[in-house]
PDB file of all heavy atoms in Angstrom:
ATOM      1  N   THR A   2      14.359 -19.324  -4.964  1.00 50.00           N
ATOM      2  CA  THR A   2      15.568 -20.156  -5.396  1.00 50.00           C
ATOM      3  C   THR A   2      16.692 -19.448  -5.609  1.00 50.00           C
ATOM      4  O   THR A   2      16.655 -18.182  -5.804  1.00 50.00           O
ATOM      5  CB  THR A   2      15.227 -20.945  -6.754  1.00 50.00           C
ATOM      6  OG1 THR A   2      15.125 -19.971  -7.763  1.00 50.00           O
ATOM      7  CG2 THR A   2      13.938 -21.703  -6.617  1.00 50.00           C
ATOM      8  N   ILE A  19      21.088   2.364 -14.571  1.00 94.00           N
ATOM      9  CA  ILE A  19      20.225   3.329 -15.109  1.00 94.00           C
ATOM     10  C   ILE A  19      20.265   4.529 -14.210  1.00 94.00           C
ATOM     11  O   ILE A  19      20.474   5.714 -14.696  1.00 94.00           O
ATOM     12  CB  ILE A  19      18.762   2.812 -15.390  1.00 94.00           C
ATOM     13  CG1 ILE A  19      18.859   1.732 -16.376  1.00 94.00           C
ATOM     14  CG2 ILE A  19      17.891   3.964 -15.740  1.00 94.00           C
ATOM     15  CD1 ILE A  19      17.392   0.974 -16.503  1.00 94.00           C
ATOM     16  N   PHE A  32      13.749  -2.739 -20.779  1.00 94.00           N
ATOM     17  CA  PHE A  32      12.607  -2.462 -21.651  1.00 94.00           C
ATOM     18  C   PHE A  32      12.262  -3.846 -22.268  1.00 94.00           C
ATOM     19  O   PHE A  32      11.153  -4.235 -22.335  1.00 94.00           O
ATOM     20  CB  PHE A  32      13.035  -1.471 -22.584  1.00 94.00           C
ATOM     21  CG  PHE A  32      11.937  -0.891 -23.500  1.00 94.00           C
ATOM     22  CD1 PHE A  32      11.284   0.246 -23.126  1.00 94.00           C
ATOM     23  CD2 PHE A  32      11.471  -1.638 -24.564  1.00 94.00           C
ATOM     24  CE1 PHE A  32      10.147   0.665 -23.902  1.00 94.00           C
ATOM     25  CE2 PHE A  32      10.441  -1.235 -25.272  1.00 94.00           C
ATOM     26  CZ  PHE A  32       9.716   0.015 -24.993  1.00 94.00           C
ATOM     27  N   GLU A  55       0.316   2.801 -24.694  1.00 90.00           N
ATOM     28  CA  GLU A  55       0.653   4.204 -24.196  1.00 90.00           C
ATOM     29  C   GLU A  55       1.176   4.063 -22.777  1.00 90.00           C
ATOM     30  O   GLU A  55       2.151   4.659 -22.442  1.00 90.00           O
ATOM     31  CB  GLU A  55      -0.595   4.910 -24.269  1.00 90.00           C
ATOM     32  CG  GLU A  55      -0.424   6.348 -23.783  1.00 90.00           C
ATOM     33  CD  GLU A  55      -1.777   7.242 -23.805  1.00 90.00           C
ATOM     34  OE1 GLU A  55      -2.617   6.889 -24.688  1.00 90.00           O
ATOM     35  OE2 GLU A  55      -1.950   8.044 -22.977  1.00 90.00           O
ATOM     36  N   LEU A  61       7.859   2.673 -18.839  1.00 94.00           N
ATOM     37  CA  LEU A  61       9.323   2.662 -19.018  1.00 94.00           C
ATOM     38  C   LEU A  61      10.097   3.934 -19.059  1.00 94.00           C
ATOM     39  O   LEU A  61      11.245   4.052 -18.572  1.00 94.00           O
ATOM     40  CB  LEU A  61       9.583   1.838 -20.255  1.00 94.00           C
ATOM     41  CG  LEU A  61       9.638   0.321 -20.070  1.00 94.00           C
ATOM     42  CD1 LEU A  61      10.651  -0.170 -19.118  1.00 94.00           C
ATOM     43  CD2 LEU A  61       8.237  -0.283 -19.878  1.00 94.00           C
ATOM     44  N   ALA A  68      14.552   6.215 -11.657  1.00 93.00           N
ATOM     45  CA  ALA A  68      15.347   4.894 -11.167  1.00 93.00           C
ATOM     46  C   ALA A  68      15.809   5.280  -9.719  1.00 93.00           C
ATOM     47  O   ALA A  68      15.827   4.330  -8.979  1.00 93.00           O
ATOM     48  CB  ALA A  68      16.418   4.487 -12.081  1.00 93.00           C
ATOM     49  N   ASP A  72      13.817   1.360  -4.383  1.00 88.00           N
ATOM     50  CA  ASP A  72      14.391   0.888  -3.135  1.00 88.00           C
ATOM     51  C   ASP A  72      14.289  -0.615  -3.013  1.00 88.00           C
ATOM     52  O   ASP A  72      13.194  -1.130  -2.831  1.00 88.00           O
ATOM     53  CB  ASP A  72      13.616   1.470  -1.977  1.00 88.00           C
ATOM     54  CG  ASP A  72      14.286   1.067  -0.607  1.00 88.00           C
ATOM     55  OD1 ASP A  72      15.318   0.330  -0.524  1.00 88.00           O
ATOM     56  OD2 ASP A  72      13.897   1.620   0.420  1.00 88.00           O
ATOM     57  N   PRO A  73      15.343  -1.389  -3.246  1.00 88.00           N
ATOM     58  CA  PRO A  73      15.435  -2.852  -3.300  1.00 88.00           C
ATOM     59  C   PRO A  73      14.994  -3.422  -1.976  1.00 88.00           C
ATOM     60  O   PRO A  73      14.610  -4.557  -1.888  1.00 88.00           O
ATOM     61  CB  PRO A  73      16.720  -3.238  -3.719  1.00 88.00           C
ATOM     62  CG  PRO A  73      17.663  -2.071  -3.571  1.00 88.00           C
ATOM     63  CD  PRO A  73      16.654  -0.863  -3.662  1.00 88.00           C
ATOM     64  N   GLU A 101     -13.758   3.245 -12.597  1.00 51.00           N
ATOM     65  CA  GLU A 101     -12.615   2.436 -12.274  1.00 51.00           C
ATOM     66  C   GLU A 101     -13.078   1.019 -11.796  1.00 51.00           C
ATOM     67  O   GLU A 101     -13.996   0.928 -10.951  1.00 51.00           O
ATOM     68  CB  GLU A 101     -11.979   3.146 -11.132  1.00 51.00           C
ATOM     69  CG  GLU A 101     -10.701   2.526 -10.612  1.00 51.00           C
ATOM     70  CD  GLU A 101      -9.593   2.370 -11.597  1.00 51.00           C
ATOM     71  OE1 GLU A 101      -9.534   3.273 -12.525  1.00 51.00           O
ATOM     72  OE2 GLU A 101      -8.821   1.469 -11.421  1.00 51.00           O
ATOM     73  N   GLY A 108       0.499  -7.263 -10.092  1.00 57.00           N
ATOM     74  CA  GLY A 108       1.567  -8.034  -9.611  1.00 57.00           C
ATOM     75  C   GLY A 108       2.320  -8.688 -10.725  1.00 57.00           C
ATOM     76  O   GLY A 108       1.849  -8.899 -11.922  1.00 57.00           O
ATOM     77  N   PRO A 113       9.346 -16.421 -16.101  1.00 61.00           N
ATOM     78  CA  PRO A 113       9.486 -17.075 -17.427  1.00 61.00           C
ATOM     79  C   PRO A 113      10.397 -18.249 -17.375  1.00 61.00           C
ATOM     80  O   PRO A 113      11.331 -18.378 -16.552  1.00 61.00           O
ATOM     81  CB  PRO A 113      10.064 -15.962 -18.322  1.00 61.00           C
ATOM     82  CG  PRO A 113      10.615 -15.046 -17.421  1.00 61.00           C
ATOM     83  CD  PRO A 113       9.961 -15.119 -16.100  1.00 61.00           C
ATOM     84  N   GLN A 122      16.397 -12.070 -24.065  1.00 77.00           N
ATOM     85  CA  GLN A 122      17.861 -11.454 -24.139  1.00 77.00           C
ATOM     86  C   GLN A 122      18.251 -11.184 -25.484  1.00 77.00           C
ATOM     87  O   GLN A 122      18.837 -10.271 -25.814  1.00 77.00           O
ATOM     88  CB  GLN A 122      18.687 -12.447 -23.324  1.00 77.00           C
ATOM     89  CG  GLN A 122      18.519 -12.405 -21.849  1.00 77.00           C
ATOM     90  CD  GLN A 122      19.429 -13.464 -21.116  1.00 77.00           C
ATOM     91  OE1 GLN A 122      19.837 -14.459 -21.726  1.00 77.00           O
ATOM     92  NE2 GLN A 122      19.727 -13.315 -19.792  1.00 77.00           N
ATOM     93  N   GLN A 123      17.978 -12.279 -26.386  1.00 79.00           N
ATOM     94  CA  GLN A 123      18.283 -12.124 -27.726  1.00 79.00           C
ATOM     95  C   GLN A 123      17.550 -10.847 -28.470  1.00 79.00           C
ATOM     96  O   GLN A 123      18.131 -10.123 -29.193  1.00 79.00           O
ATOM     97  CB  GLN A 123      17.990 -13.384 -28.603  1.00 79.00           C
ATOM     98  CG  GLN A 123      18.932 -14.576 -28.099  1.00 79.00           C
ATOM     99  CD  GLN A 123      18.526 -15.842 -28.740  1.00 79.00           C
ATOM    100  OE1 GLN A 123      17.321 -16.058 -29.084  1.00 79.00           O
ATOM    101  NE2 GLN A 123      19.537 -16.796 -28.818  1.00 79.00           N
ATOM    102  N   GLU A 126      19.112  -7.773 -27.256  1.00 80.00           N
ATOM    103  CA  GLU A 126      20.464  -7.478 -28.002  1.00 80.00           C
ATOM    104  C   GLU A 126      20.143  -6.957 -29.406  1.00 80.00           C
ATOM    105  O   GLU A 126      20.874  -6.072 -29.942  1.00 80.00           O
ATOM    106  CB  GLU A 126      21.293  -8.728 -28.143  1.00 80.00           C
ATOM    107  CG  GLU A 126      21.838  -9.123 -26.690  1.00 80.00           C
ATOM    108  CD  GLU A 126      22.423 -10.534 -26.578  1.00 80.00           C
ATOM    109  OE1 GLU A 126      22.555 -11.176 -27.695  1.00 80.00           O
ATOM    110  OE2 GLU A 126      22.754 -10.978 -25.475  1.00 80.00           O
ATOM    111  N   ARG A 140      18.796   8.093 -34.962  1.00 88.00           N
ATOM    112  CA  ARG A 140      19.092   7.537 -33.609  1.00 88.00           C
ATOM    113  C   ARG A 140      19.072   8.597 -32.595  1.00 88.00           C
ATOM    114  O   ARG A 140      18.607   8.479 -31.482  1.00 88.00           O
ATOM    115  CB  ARG A 140      20.503   6.930 -33.686  1.00 88.00           C
ATOM    116  CG  ARG A 140      20.912   6.326 -32.407  1.00 88.00           C
ATOM    117  CD  ARG A 140      22.249   5.484 -32.543  1.00 88.00           C
ATOM    118  NE  ARG A 140      23.326   6.382 -32.945  1.00 88.00           N
ATOM    119  CZ  ARG A 140      24.024   6.278 -34.077  1.00 88.00           C
ATOM    120  NH1 ARG A 140      23.809   5.382 -34.879  1.00 88.00           N
ATOM    121  NH2 ARG A 140      25.040   7.120 -34.333  1.00 88.00           N
ATOM    122  N   LEU A 162      15.081  22.068 -35.367  1.00 91.00           N
ATOM    123  CA  LEU A 162      14.559  21.402 -36.470  1.00 91.00           C
ATOM    124  C   LEU A 162      12.943  21.668 -36.532  1.00 91.00           C
ATOM    125  O   LEU A 162      12.432  21.736 -35.495  1.00 91.00           O
ATOM    126  CB  LEU A 162      14.679  19.834 -36.516  1.00 91.00           C
ATOM    127  CG  LEU A 162      16.228  19.464 -36.629  1.00 91.00           C
ATOM    128  CD1 LEU A 162      16.346  17.966 -36.496  1.00 91.00           C
ATOM    129  CD2 LEU A 162      16.729  19.730 -38.196  1.00 91.00           C
ATOM    130  N   PRO A 163      12.416  21.686 -37.803  1.00 92.00           N
ATOM    131  CA  PRO A 163      10.976  21.805 -37.859  1.00 92.00           C
ATOM    132  C   PRO A 163      10.293  20.579 -37.223  1.00 92.00           C
ATOM    133  O   PRO A 163      10.845  19.406 -37.261  1.00 92.00           O
ATOM    134  CB  PRO A 163      10.686  21.813 -39.332  1.00 92.00           C
ATOM    135  CG  PRO A 163      11.910  22.201 -39.978  1.00 92.00           C
ATOM    136  CD  PRO A 163      13.025  21.622 -39.081  1.00 92.00           C
ATOM    137  N   LYS A 168       9.070  14.567 -36.487  1.00 91.00           N
ATOM    138  CA  LYS A 168       8.113  13.540 -36.515  1.00 91.00           C
ATOM    139  C   LYS A 168       8.363  12.540 -37.642  1.00 91.00           C
ATOM    140  O   LYS A 168       8.305  11.260 -37.462  1.00 91.00           O
ATOM    141  CB  LYS A 168       6.638  14.072 -36.776  1.00 91.00           C
ATOM    142  CG  LYS A 168       6.211  14.763 -35.570  1.00 91.00           C
ATOM    143  CD  LYS A 168       4.774  15.303 -35.626  1.00 91.00           C
ATOM    144  CE  LYS A 168       4.370  15.989 -34.296  1.00 91.00           C
ATOM    145  NZ  LYS A 168       2.874  16.354 -34.478  1.00 91.00           N
TER     146      LYS A 168
END
Side-chain angles (χ1 to χ4, degrees):
T2 67
I19 293 167
F32 191 99
E55 183 181 328
L61 276 302
D72 180 358
E101 182 65 27
Q122 287 172 338
Q123 290 170 341
E126 290 169 7
R140 184 176 57 243
L162 292 171
K168 290 182 178 185

